[in-house]
Amino acid sequence: MNNSLDAIEASHYWSATANDIIENGGQHHTKYAHLRIPYSAILTGALAGLLSLDPYREAVFPQVECIQVNLAKGGALDGLNDEECMENVHGFVARVRSMFPNATMCSVSNTMVCLPEEETATKHYSQLVTELAQNTRQIKYYTSNEVFSIGTLANLGGLTHLVYSECSSSSTLLYLVLGNASTLQVLNLDIDNPEQVSQFVHTDAGTQVTYPNLHTLKSVCASDTVVEQRSAPLHTPFPELRNLTMTHSYPFTNDAMFRGNHLGQLGLNLDIIDLLILDKSGVLEKNRFAQVTDLDLEINLIDQPYGTGFGQRLCRMLLEMAPNIERLRLRFMGIPLKSSLQNSFTAVPPLDKLRFVTITGVALSLAETVGLVGRIPKLSQLMIEPQTTDYEDEDYEAEGALRAEEIRRVEELRQAKTLSRSALRNVIFHNPSYADMNGASHFACQLAILCPRLTCIRWGYHSSAFDSCCRDNAADTLYSAYKKRLESVEWTKVK
């Protein structure tokens, strides 16, 4: 590791120990502090004692904006004196505050496995998290153990950013969100109960709640969670929302989530019930999201009694509602016949601003990929699941003849200049298996022949085996007419 001052100045996220930074005068250049701490060392006072010694005793990091505390068990937690634990927690937090006096963001993650009978340990956990979060504007909280309660965290106010993930539903989150409704700008939730989101927009007394400064909302719930009660707010709870991601968790029976705002980024991972609600509420209308440039959709119709016509109508609606997208990610599970997706791109006007496309959940043949690319004139990067063709049951000569027939059809498309004006430069094969390697390499070479600007094709992740397959193809007599073209393609990374 380079411990020079120049190296510290070059990066705000320089990876080093506190001792390294202090010795090299890096306190005034460090903006991020990651503290991985045994919880027992806090309760026993061992950590506060260590921080009172040189070189930490007088150390101050005035530029640190974010403190990330990762708590691990690492020692016996039983038999501790309750009063001493309280003093030790307070002393540790005070020392952290003096070392990082200007930190405005606090991130706490808990990976401990603690037994319920360790009462002293769990009792002071709430005190620790709450004191660490005091006087901050941004909080990130993660835990994988419901034993550790942070009920007093609900009293914090003035928050602008909240990232919250807890294994069990808690009233803490509700009070924390409602208490900061006027100041919250970013709300990122990973929760078990999607109905909690509905509770954010009105209190138990029926008072309507508005979030005038919230511009980013992400709500992720367990995929098997059922929303038993959906509300229908009459007001506009999120008037300034710009970025929205909803995963298995649309909690309303109307368009309350989308009312009055001007989204630029939209991510929806929903089932058929959610889609029908959005359709009935007018959310899926043509040009509804004219300002959205980043669209991420995952739709699950597995085991649903809907035919091809419904699938095509659904795909078309989802494409038409955001005509100005620049990035599109689609994962359609269970939509009858992938022709629904293909036909939808043909049915809608060309998406002239679309440059980045990811399509998963369906495997596209070369012909289907060519048709798709041809409908998106400015497409620069494409991620797909290729429908590979293997001839493992044929002998070598038979396979050669079949591949030659593929090349003949590719040449016909090339002569027709089907993709001669395509802007496609990068192709990524999503989540492939090694069993597909040979077929995918032929798919890649044939696509490169058709797209003159295509310079990079890679196998989901770096793969020397895929690189070798494609280079072997380029050297094979089957592709001799295109050897120079294929040698110009990079097979291992996207530029």
Side-chain angles (χ1 to χ4, degrees):
M1 179 184 294
N2 183 357
N3 287 339
S4 68
L5 180 58
D6 290 340
I8 297 173
E9 291 178 330
S11 174
H12 292 159
Y13 298 96
W14 187 68
S15 178
T17 65
N19 190 41
D20 287 333
I21 297 175
I22 293 169
E23 288 183 353
N24 288 279
Q27 300 97 308
H28 295 280
H29 305 281
T30 305
K31 292 194 173 183
Y32 182 88
H34 182 187
L35 312 177
R36 193 175 190 281
I37 304 169
Y39 186 42
S40 59
I42 298 176
L43 296 186
T44 61
L47 191 57
L50 175 64
L51 295 177
S52 67
L53 303 176
D54 291 331
Y56 309 108
R57 180 171 52 186
E58 303 296 334
V60 177
F61 297 79
Q63 298 298 319
V64 166
E65 300 169 350
C66 175
I67 306 170
Q68 178 178 339
V69 179
N70 179 247
L71 298 172
K73 188 172 182 180
L77 295 174
D78 53 348
L80 298 176
N81 181 277
D82 188 58
E83 186 174 339
E84 289 182 358
C85 285
M86 184 179 298
E87 292 179 359
N88 291 334
V89 168
H90 185 71
F92 165 73
V93 173
R95 186 67 195 99
V96 169
R97 286 292 173 206
S98 65
M99 290 182 71
F100 312 108
N102 298 313
T104 59
M105 177 178 176
C106 178
S107 174
V108 180
S109 57
N110 172 10
T111 59
M112 291 183 287
V113 178
C114 187
L115 300 177
E117 58 264 23
E118 296 175 316
E119 296 182 2
T120 302
T122 57
K123 180 187 301 184
H124 296 289
Y125 179 72
S126 180
Q127 175 197 356
L128 172 62
V129 176
T130 303
E131 289 194 20
L132 282 171
Q134 288 291 343
N135 302 318
T136 61
R137 305 291 289 178
Q138 305 179 37
I139 294 178
K140 293 184 178 181
Y141 176 71
Y142 309 88
T143 184
S144 58
N145 195 321
E146 63 183 358
V147 170
F148 294 92
S149 172
I150 54 166
T152 56
L153 195 63
N155 297 323
L156 296 175
L159 296 179
T160 60
H161 293 60
L162 176 60
V163 179
Y164 189 96
S165 175
E166 190 169 27
C167 68
S168 60
S169 300
S170 172
S171 59
T172 298
L173 175 61
L174 179 60
Y175 290 115
L176 194 58
V177 172
L178 291 176
N180 292 275
S182 62
T183 57
L184 276 175
Q185 299 174 17
V186 176
L187 182 57
N188 189 337
L189 307 174
D190 186 353
I191 52 181
D192 288 339
N193 183 5
E195 294 174 18
Q196 282 190 285
V197 179
S198 179
Q199 296 171 338
F200 293 160
V201 301
H202 52 73
T203 65
D204 291 340
T207 304
Q208 296 178 342
V209 182
T210 300
Y211 297 79
N213 296 300
L214 190 69
H215 58 74
T216 299
L217 173 60
K218 181 177 181 180
S219 176
V220 178
C221 293
S223 59
D224 57 351
T225 302
V226 177
V227 182
E228 296 182 354
Q229 293 184 337
R230 303 175 192 254
S231 63
L234 300 178
H235 66 304
T236 302
F238 309 107
E240 296 300 322
L241 207 57
R242 295 292 182 270
N243 306 292
L244 174 63
T245 300
M246 301 291 293
T247 300
H248 306 296
S249 55
Y250 191 70
F252 305 121
T253 59
N254 58 18
D255 65 342
M257 188 68 72
F258 308 93
R259 194 179 298 152
N261 49 49
H262 303 283
L263 294 173
Q265 180 275 327
L266 176 61
L268 298 174
N269 181 344
L270 306 173
D271 61 19
I272 186 61
I273 300 299
D274 296 311
L275 288 171
L276 293 176
I277 290 174
L278 295 182
D279 186 19
K280 183 178 179 181
S281 303
V283 174
L284 305 184
E285 289 181 352
K286 185 176 181 179
N287 298 329
R288 172 66 186 260
F289 300 107
Q291 296 185 19
V292 167
T293 59
D294 191 314
L295 183 61
D296 190 341
L297 298 171
E298 180 168 340
I299 308 300
N300 187 351
L301 296 183
I302 293 178
D303 298 328
Q304 297 295 330
Y306 297 97
T308 306
F310 177 82
Q312 185 168 332
R313 174 175 172 268
L314 174 62
C315 292
R316 186 177 68 251
M317 289 171 59
L318 293 173
L319 292 175
E320 287 181 336
M321 71 181 187
N324 297 311
I325 50 175
E326 298 173 7
R327 293 178 177 271
L328 175 64
R329 289 172 293 279
L330 298 175
R331 179 170 176 78
F332 289 159
M333 302 174 61
I335 287 185
L337 302 180
K338 62 183 176 181
S339 59
S340 296
L341 178 61
Q342 191 73 19
N343 292 339
S344 297
F345 274 97
T346 304
V348 302
L351 299 169
D352 294 331
K353 297 182 180 180
L354 187 55
R355 298 180 58 231
F356 302 91
V357 172
T358 297
I359 298 178
T360 60
V362 294
L364 299 181
S365 68
L366 182 67
E368 291 163 340
T369 303
V370 169
L372 177 66
V373 174
R375 291 293 299 171
I376 310 175
K378 294 185 179 180
L379 182 64
S380 174
Q381 178 170 301
L382 176 65
M383 179 181 288
I384 59 170
E385 294 180 7
Q387 181 177 302
T388 60
T389 305
D390 286 313
Y391 304 108
E392 296 179 356
D393 296 333
E394 306 290 341
D395 58 33
Y396 182 79
E397 290 185 3
E399 178 180 346
L402 292 169
R403 293 294 183 193
E405 176 61 21
E406 291 178 3
I407 297 298
R408 187 189 65 77
R409 292 195 296 267
V410 167
E411 177 59 22
E412 290 178 353
L413 290 173
R414 192 185 72 84
Q415 290 289 346
K417 297 183 178 181
T418 306
L419 297 180
S420 61
R421 296 186 178 183
S422 170
L424 187 63
R425 292 177 56 84
N426 302 312
V427 171
I428 303 170
F429 290 159
H430 173 77
N431 198 28
S433 68
Y434 278 98
D436 299 327
M437 183 76 72
N438 183 54
S441 68
H442 285 282
F443 188 111
C445 289
Q446 292 165 20
L447 190 59
I449 293 169
L450 291 172
C451 300
R453 294 179 178 82
L454 185 55
T455 57
C456 305
I457 305 179
R458 71 179 173 93
W459 178 258
Y461 43 84
H462 177 82
S463 172
S464 58
F466 181 67
D467 177 75
S468 297
C469 278
C470 292
R471 293 188 185 281
D472 288 346
N473 288 345
D476 193 285
T477 54
L478 185 67
Y479 291 93
S480 58
Y482 312 101
K483 182 178 181 180
K484 186 175 181 180
R485 167 71 185 109
L486 296 179
E487 287 178 344
S488 68
V489 179
E490 173 64 61
W491 306 106
T492 57
K493 61 183 179 181
V494 171
K495 297 180 179 178

